[in-house]
Amino acid sequence: MGVRITPRSKSFPDWYQDVCQAGDLAENSPVRGCMVIKPHGFALWENIRDPLDRMIKETGHVNAYFPIFIPLSFLSKEAEHVEGFAAETALVTHYRLKAVKEDGKTKMIVDPDSELEEPLVVRPTSETIIGHMYAKWIQSHRDLPVLINQWANIVRWEMRTRLFLRTTEFLWQEGHTCHATADEAQAETMQMLGVYERLCREYLAVPVRVGLKSPLETFPGADATYAVEGLMQDGKALQMGTSHNLGQNFAKAFEIQFQDTDGERKLVWTTSWGLSTRTVGAVVMAHGDDDGLVLPPRIAPLQVVIVPIFRKEEERAAVLAEAGPLFEQLNEAGVRVRLDDRTQMKPGAKFFEWEKKGVPVRLELGPRDVESRQAMLVRRDDKSKTPEPLEGLAAKMPALLVEIQDAMLTRATRFRDEHTHEANSWEEFQELLDDPGGFISAHWDGTRETEAEIKAKTKATIRVIPTSEEAQPGACVLTGKPSERRVLFGRAY
């Protein structure tokens, strides 16, 4: 029996967990806080990862790989950075196990004679180990810029975990660059922020809000952090990617210097930026419904599934005689397609399975359809059913998939806009947060103290300070003090 999906109206968190499992994306592993990403889920991640990798390379970056283990002393070189990750950092202190007998049974224990001279941090992020290497690689202005990205796994010991959104181990990419000037580093930071925005809009069909992070939300050790924030169907925000201007903080800590054209030794300016498997969770929460996943065609592992319908063997032969060529035509048209000719499942069970997995288009083909030279086309996004002539159907499918992709982005944009509200008083701010939720545009006096007080009172944080909007002076929603501009608040994952 399959996973029963809790309605969103009853419990959004339970609905999310149910959809991830019913959609065959992932499940919890024996290690607390870790997940097993199943083939359907990993294929979805690959379809997010691969276009992002292309975009990263198109901007002149190259891929490399750095170790998962980092000497503990490296983290101590940048005090603000290590403080920001201290509570989530896992350490390796020994390198060997030993088998011992106890009550006639063999068990494994840590060999006390294998203690490391220096504990190793299991990578929570790679600024420190990469900074150490860059200090060796960079000597001259001719070595700049350094534009490197890595695809890796990360370990952060999360206390409260949820599939894809917060897990002890997750997959991501992290870019780390070095530049000769502050302007170049800032341009790099904004360029990669734009890459993330494009990925979210064009592939994930999630219309993100883009902007600068507030002081409390800035990455430890960064001069400035920028982010792309999506709005999920429960009205909560989700940070989907970040780009950090690190200034010269890590350059100072790791002595990353270069000789300029004037012969003077100078510190480089660095950036880092990252996006993770959290984006899979964003796709689930932004588009899914009470029947399961609804996947944007551009990232769906399967875009079309053909389901033959028959009762008798002669019907099976006639239907497959049409389904087979249709499969080949769709495949030749560049469509990711599957012909589900399994005999151990009834058509209704197949419909239910592919609906839960979010396949954008289902083509039902039975004996009557063969006689009529048509197939029943079912769209996952709006559940519409229309008979379509078999002649020319494969040729029309790429355009239909684009239409579905655009419709999903339009619907998500409408939801975001309908759930973005202005608050001009503290009472209004609180009311809007509770009902209907979403992004709240409000004035803030610019102080960490006020930001922290708002968070303590409401659990709402500043998601972004929009970079695309002009300054609009006003009065802080909490303190009444002067405010230079509105910022976007929201409760977040």
Side-chain angles (χ1 to χ4, degrees), residues 443-447 449-450 474-484:
H443 282 284
W444 160 63
D445 63 20
T447 67
E449 293 75 19
T450 298
C476 176
V477 72
L478 177 65
T479 65
K481 294 178 180 178
S483 165
E484 294 182 359

Side-chain angles (χ1 to χ4, degrees), residues 381-392:
D381 64 317
D382 62 11
K383 299 187 178 179
S384 62
K385 297 184 178 182
T386 55
E388 294 287 341
L390 289 173
E391 186 70 29

Side-chain angles (χ1 to χ4, degrees), residues 245-415:
N245 187 333
L246 303 177
Q248 293 182 309
N249 300 325
F250 286 88
K252 292 174 183 175
F254 290 90
E255 299 181 345
I256 313 173
Q257 301 180 33
F258 69 102
Q259 187 174 35
D260 204 352
T261 53
D262 56 9
E264 183 180 351
R265 298 290 295 173
K266 294 180 179 178
L267 293 169
V268 301
W269 300 80
T270 68
T271 78
S272 68
W273 28 273
L275 180 144
S276 77
T277 38
R278 171 178 277 209
T279 50
V280 174
V283 170
V284 175
M285 293 194 295
H287 301 302
D289 62 21
D290 287 352
D291 293 320
L293 296 171
V294 181
L295 297 180
R298 293 195 79 175
I299 60 171
L302 283 175
Q303 296 170 316
V304 177
V305 62
I306 304 169
V307 181
I309 303 171
F310 51 84
R311 292 182 180 179
K312 303 174 183 179
E313 186 59 33
E314 57 267 26
E315 291 178 341
R316 177 178 185 273
V319 170
L320 290 179
E322 294 294 341
L326 179 59
F327 169 83
E328 295 297 339
Q329 292 163 14
L330 287 165
N331 196 42
E332 289 173 6
V335 175
R336 296 189 290 275
V337 59
R338 173 170 172 175
L339 172 57
D340 189 353
D341 57 356
R342 293 174 292 176
T343 57
Q344 67 271 32
M345 290 181 67
K346 294 182 178 180
K350 295 178 183 179
F351 298 164
F352 187 45
E353 176 182 342
W354 297 119
E355 189 170 57
K356 289 188 297 182
K357 288 187 174 182
V359 177
V361 173
R362 185 173 75 241
L363 296 176
E364 302 171 5
L365 191 62
R368 291 183 181 179
D369 298 307
V370 170
E371 290 178 8
S372 304
R373 305 295 303 154
Q374 66 180 26
M376 185 61 69
L377 187 151
V378 184
R379 283 176 53 160
R380 181 64 183 90
D381 64 317
D382 62 11
K383 299 187 178 179
S384 62
K385 297 184 178 182
T386 55
E388 294 287 341
L390 289 173
E391 186 70 29
L393 179 56
K396 292 192 297 185
M397 192 58 66
L400 176 62
L401 294 172
V402 171
E403 179 184 322
I404 294 171
Q405 181 85 23
D406 292 344
M408 292 182 67
L409 177 60
T410 297
R411 184 162 52 249
T413 302
R414 183 169 60 248
F415 177 87

Side-chain angles (χ1 to χ4, degrees), residues 411-459:
R411 184 162 52 249
T413 302
R414 183 169 60 248
F415 177 87
R416 181 202 65 184
D417 293 346
E418 289 174 351
H419 290 77
T420 301
H421 305 278
E422 284 192 1
N424 296 298
S425 70
W426 181 241
E427 292 74 19
E428 188 178 18
F429 182 86
Q430 292 174 295
E431 290 173 1
L432 288 170
L433 271 177
D434 292 331
D435 186 19
F439 288 129
I440 311 298
S441 177
H443 282 284
W444 160 63
D445 63 20
T447 67
R448 296 174 68 98
E449 293 75 19
T450 298
E451 182 183 2
E453 186 175 352
I454 291 174
K455 181 178 180 180
K457 289 178 179 292
T458 66
K459 296 183 179 179

